[in-house]
Structures are given as structure tokens and as C-alpha cells.
Amino acid sequence: LIHLVLTEDLPGLFGAGPLHTDNRPLLEFAAPKKLYRGSLNIDLNAAGRRLLSPRAQEFLDAHSDVETFLNLVEFAASANLPMFTLLQRQVLNPEQQARYKRAVDGYCCRMPVPSYDIFNDAELKIRCAEIQIAAMRKKFSTQASLPIDHYNLGLALIAARHKEDAARELYRALELNPSYEPAVSALGLLSAETGNLEEAARFLSKAVDLNPRESDPYKFLGMVELRRGATDAAISNLSAAYALSPRDPVILSELGLAFMKQGQHRKAILYLRQALKNDPKDDETRRYLQFAEKKLARHRKKTSGTP
């Protein structure tokens, strides 16, 4: 379990901020709204503040082999905690791959999957989604279904690459509750993925109306508008998303790209630099930034009259 140790300095890890207490249970109300919506910022902040003693670090280094990680994945799955991204299946031998698949199957048979992003392996993602689909359809055959049931089935069908079936389930969720925003947003994203940007914008505009205090509908609508060529509308929606989630690297990167398309390279550079600061591994944003900086340098050279 050494790999589960984040730090030996908890005050340093969490830093300053309001305390969660019985009289003021901040996390009780904030956490459900952000559950499974984390970003790389959390991991980066935790990694930057991690403190291990030399003895603990030495022990960690000595137990970073494939077998140890597989043991950890199996243990975590048995406790209904998905840690499947710790390993690349390709590095495992046939016996280890069989153990890995058993851990995945066991978890997916027992638990509703919070997000199929818990897998970094396409085959295992589909495998788990098919297990979930079978379980949900069996449930539908014996129980009355709710909008959230059809929404979850729709997400599983998307993960299993059955997009037409997924759309039908999402529409079924809206038949039961026309104001069910998660299904509206999912249909918008599914439409965007299949290239129907006009329909995507229509669904995501409705999602914004249904949930104006969350950043994701604005973000996704802004991204769609940008790809439709409606740059002003994209900036308007992405700016609204930024006001609600100013550290989201995707919002920052998309805003930078939108301003770059308008020729506002100084603004683009500001947002793109902040996006990279929050997600240094984003190579696409780095390319956007390099392009914007070159364009700005050429503009300065041209306006200064330098030959």
C-alpha cells in the first residue's frame, strides 16, 4: 500500500483554507457537485506538495515493479476503488493479464461505473461497458426505470461504441424528464462527436438554460461554437465558463484558441500560458501558444518597420 501514501505532511498537502467541521460541513455539500469532475490540477497540486521521508521514498522505489502494481490494482478493485490506470495491460504477461481482467470483471459486475475514464485501455473499457449494459437491461426487465437509469445506460453504450443505441436511451431519459440536464448535455456531446455541430449547439444551449450555474455546459457549447466558426459566440460562452471555473485548463486553452482565431494574439497568449501552467502536459495547447507567439512577433516586426 506504499503507493497510496500521498505525503507525510498533511498540513502542507492541503495548505490554507476553510476547515470542514461538524458545524460547517463544507465538503458535504461541495463534494457531490464536483465528484468525478476533477482535473489534472488536483493531481499536480498534490504531487507538488508531496513530502516523503528518505526511508519511505527508498521503500517506494524498491516496490515499483509490475507485480506490486498489479497487487494494488486487485486489492483496490476488491474494495470497489478503481485504480486501473496504474498499469498498461501490454506490459503484463498472459497470467497477469488474466488476473487484471478478473479484477476488472469483478469490479464492473459489482459497481455502477462512475466514469469510463477509469480505464486507459480501450478493450477493457468496452469490456466493462458491456457488463454494465447487460446488468442495466436486466434491471429494466424487472423494474420501472428512471431518467438517470437511461442516462447511465446511454453512457455505457457510448463507451461500448453503440452510438445509435446510446442516443435512443438518452432520448428516452428526456421523454421521462424533458429537463434532465445530464441527458441533454450528453446528447449535445454525442452530436458533436458524430459531426452534427448544429444539433450539438442546440442541445448544449438548452443545457446552459437548465444549469446556468455550472461551467461545463458553457464550456462544451463554447467548444462547439468555435468549431462551427462562430467565434464571438464561442468567446461569450467560454468566458462564462471561465468566470465559473477560472482554473480549468480546457476552458483556458479554448479561450486562447478563440482569441487567436480573431487575431487577438496578446489575449490568446495570456490564456494559453495559464492553461499550460495548470496542465503542463498539454502538447496541443503548447503548439497553439508557439503559433500565437510567432504571429505576435511577426506583427510587432511588421509594425516597427524592421526589415
Side-chain angles (χ1 to χ4, degrees):
L1 301 181
I2 184 65
H3 292 279
L4 298 182
V5 177
L6 284 178
T7 187
E8 292 175 275
D9 175 22
L10 287 176
L13 177 68
F14 291 106
L19 291 176
H20 172 96
T21 66
D22 287 343
N23 291 336
R24 201 160 181 256
L26 300 174
L27 291 177
E28 184 174 347
F29 299 100
K33 294 180 179 180
K34 297 297 182 183
L35 199 61
Y36 311 122
R37 291 189 177 184
S39 70
L40 186 62
N41 298 345
I42 296 172
D43 294 333
L44 288 173
N45 288 337
R49 296 176 179 176
R50 187 180 197 188
L51 179 66
L52 295 179
S53 66
R55 182 184 178 194
Q57 186 62 55
E58 181 181 351
F59 193 84
L60 181 69
D61 294 340
H63 294 81
S64 292
D65 56 290
V66 168
E67 186 68 19
T68 298
F69 279 121
L70 181 56
N71 289 338
L72 178 56
V73 167
E74 287 180 315
F75 170 78
S78 72
N80 299 328
L81 177 65
M83 298 182 69
F84 300 112
T85 56
L86 279 179
L87 278 174
Q88 295 288 338
R89 188 167 55 92
Q90 293 76 9
V91 305
L92 305 178
N93 63 38
E95 180 186 350
Q96 291 170 329
Q97 288 202 27
R99 288 171 55 194
Y100 194 30
K101 287 180 179 180
R102 284 196 297 271
V104 169
D105 290 351
Y107 174 82
C108 294
C109 286
R110 290 191 307 273
M111 296 294 296
V113 173
S115 166
Y116 292 94
D117 290 337
I118 63 173
F119 299 103
N120 57 9
D121 183 284
E123 181 184 325
L124 293 179
K125 179 179 179 178
I126 294 172
R127 184 185 183 96
C128 182
E130 296 287 3
I131 292 171
Q132 297 270 301
I133 290 165
M136 283 185 269
R137 283 181 168 157
K138 183 178 180 181
K139 175 185 174 183
F140 290 179
S141 67
T142 59
Q143 300 178 29
S145 57
L146 299 171
I148 190 171
D149 297 321
H150 293 279
Y151 168 72
N152 286 331
L153 179 53
L155 295 186
L157 287 162
I158 290 171
R161 301 178 181 175
H162 305 309
K163 293 180 181 177
E164 290 185 5
D165 291 342
R168 280 193 287 271
E169 293 299 330
L170 294 171
Y171 276 115
R172 178 60 180 147
L174 293 183
E175 288 174 7
L176 296 172
N177 180 1
S179 298
Y180 189 59
E181 183 269 326
V184 175
S185 290
L187 277 167
L189 294 173
L190 186 58
S191 298
E193 190 177 334
T194 54
N196 193 338
L197 297 183
E198 185 176 345
E199 185 175 84
R202 179 170 60 83
F203 277 119
L204 293 169
S205 293
K206 183 179 179 181
V208 165
D209 293 337
L210 291 172
N211 199 359
R213 295 186 179 181
E214 284 293 326
S215 63
D216 278 353
Y218 291 106
K219 174 172 71 173
F220 297 139
L221 179 57
M223 293 170 71
V224 166
E225 295 288 20
L226 187 56
R227 282 145 186 83
R228 291 177 73 202
T231 312
D232 289 340
I235 289 174
S236 175
N237 284 288
L238 289 167
S239 296
Y242 173 73
L244 293 164
S245 297
R247 292 184 57 81
D248 187 315
V250 175
I251 295 171
L252 290 163
S253 181
E254 290 288 317
L255 264 173
L257 179 59
F259 281 119
M260 189 168 69
K261 288 192 173 185
Q262 281 196 339
Q264 299 189 58
H265 295 106
R266 287 185 178 86
K267 279 189 175 181
I269 289 168
L270 287 174
Y271 284 110
L272 292 169
R273 283 178 177 170
Q274 187 61 45
L276 270 180
K277 181 180 179 182
N278 293 347
D279 184 1
K281 295 182 179 179
D282 188 343
D283 292 332
E284 188 173 31
T285 295
R286 183 170 285 103
R287 286 194 294 272
Y288 293 155
L289 178 59
Q290 291 169 349
F291 181 81
E293 288 173 337
K294 286 179 181 177
K295 294 288 285 187
L296 182 59
R298 288 173 188 165
H299 175 73
R300 285 174 173 169
K301 188 175 180 179
K302 184 177 180 181
T303 56
S304 67
T306 303

